[in-house]
Amino acid sequence: MLVNLIQASRVTQMSLLCLALALSIVPVLPTFAGPGAGLTCDHWGENARNVLADYRIRVESGMTDPQVGTKDMVSYENMAEGKTGKRYYDTIFPKIFALASPEEVYLVARDFCESMPDDAFLPENFY
């Protein structure tokens, strides 16, 4: 009986610890681009860093026309003119193709996201 009580107490302690950790993390979570965005503007900044990394690899490996390869990777040519996706990549590609720093690319993408309407990054508005 005492062993069961101790084990139950440990479960309770672990539950409380997990709850405390979760509650301590909540204030540092990034804000959403808007109620319908589904992803944070920090996500779009990180995405831009990843696209930059892809482009750098293509350049450093001596690929012919690395810009085309990077655009193909993100399906840029399949995005409708005026949609959020096309506008997003039109905003970040100049920095990426100039090999700007990852932080600069991140900030440009995040700032673009934050400037957009609440539902701009929903899939039906992105492509």
Side-chain angles (χ1 to χ4, degrees):
M1 173 92 172
L2 183 58
V3 171
N4 290 340
L5 184 57
I6 291 171
Q7 288 176 339
S9 176
R10 285 186 182 153
V11 169
T12 302
Q13 289 173 350
M14 290 303 294
S15 298
L16 289 174
L17 177 61
C18 289
L19 178 61
L21 286 172
L23 291 175
S24 70
I25 292 170
V26 170
V28 298
L29 292 176
T31 58
F32 284 99
L39 298 169
T40 67
C41 287
D42 290 320
H43 163 83
W44 294 105
E46 289 300 327
N47 178 69
R49 283 183 179 158
N50 292 334
V51 175
L52 172 64
D54 173 80
Y55 180 67
R56 282 185 190 274
I57 290 168
R58 292 173 191 276
V59 168
E60 291 168 5
S61 66
M63 292 185 82
T64 306
D65 209 351
Q67 291 183 8
V68 170
T70 297
K71 285 182 175 183
D72 285 347
M73 180 195 73
V74 299
S75 300
Y76 176 78
E77 299 304 332
N78 297 328
M79 294 178 183
E81 205 60 50
K83 290 285 194 165
T84 302
K86 189 76 122 178
R87 293 175 61 200
Y88 168 78
Y89 285 110
D90 285 345
T91 300
I92 67 170
F93 276 154
K95 293 292 184 185
I96 288 170
F97 297 152
L99 294 172
S101 73
E103 187 61 22
E104 187 177 356
V105 168
Y106 171 89
L107 291 173
V108 166
R110 191 196 64 197
D111 291 348
F112 172 80
C113 174
E114 289 175 351
S115 74
M116 296 301 290
D118 289 347
D119 63 351
F121 282 87
L122 289 173
E124 62 266 24
N125 296 327
F126 192 79
Y127 292 101

